[in-house]
Amino acid sequence: RWLHAHGPRASRALVTLDAGAHAAGDLEARLFGRDGPEDDAPGALELADGGTLVVEDVAALDAELRARLLLVLDGHAFVRAGGVRTVKS
């Protein structure tokens, strides 16, 4: 929190996701968001856009989600859970 508050992104969002506090099946939607017929919702990545995302207990993410997160951190776009539209990171 201190680094965010004193860094160049201090005026932007600080989003924290505790991966260990959520069921494995729920983590994809919490991290990447979800597209559904009645329940579109941004995930932590979109909420933190331009700000800071802190993912606590990264080890709780399965290998597939860690790989997807790494791609996003490398600057690649992603697709929300249940979606087809690409979201630019």
Side-chain angles (χ1 to χ4, degrees), residues 1 11 13 22 26 30 38 40 43-44 49 51 56 60-61 63 65-67 70 73-74 80 88:
R1 293 183 190 274
S11 64
H22 301 285
D26 191 35
R30 295 224 178 238
E38 299 175 12
D40 287 354
D49 185 35
E56 297 176 352
L61 298 174
L65 285 181
R66 284 194 307 264
L70 183 59
L73 295 176
D74 269 346
R80 288 177 174 176
K88 199 154 168 87

Side-chain angles (χ1 to χ4, degrees), residues 9-31:
R9 298 174 184 211
S11 64
R12 306 297 296 254
L14 170 63
V15 178
T16 302
L17 175 67
D18 184 355
H22 301 285
D26 191 35
L27 283 171
E28 180 183 19
R30 295 224 178 238
L31 188 57

Side-chain angles (χ1 to χ4, degrees), residues 52-77:
T52 303
L53 172 63
V54 177
V55 180
E56 297 176 352
D57 199 7
V58 174
L61 298 174
D62 65 26
E64 180 184 339
L65 285 181
R66 284 194 307 264
R68 285 181 63 194
L69 178 58
L70 183 59
L71 287 172
V72 172
L73 295 176
D74 269 346
H76 296 275

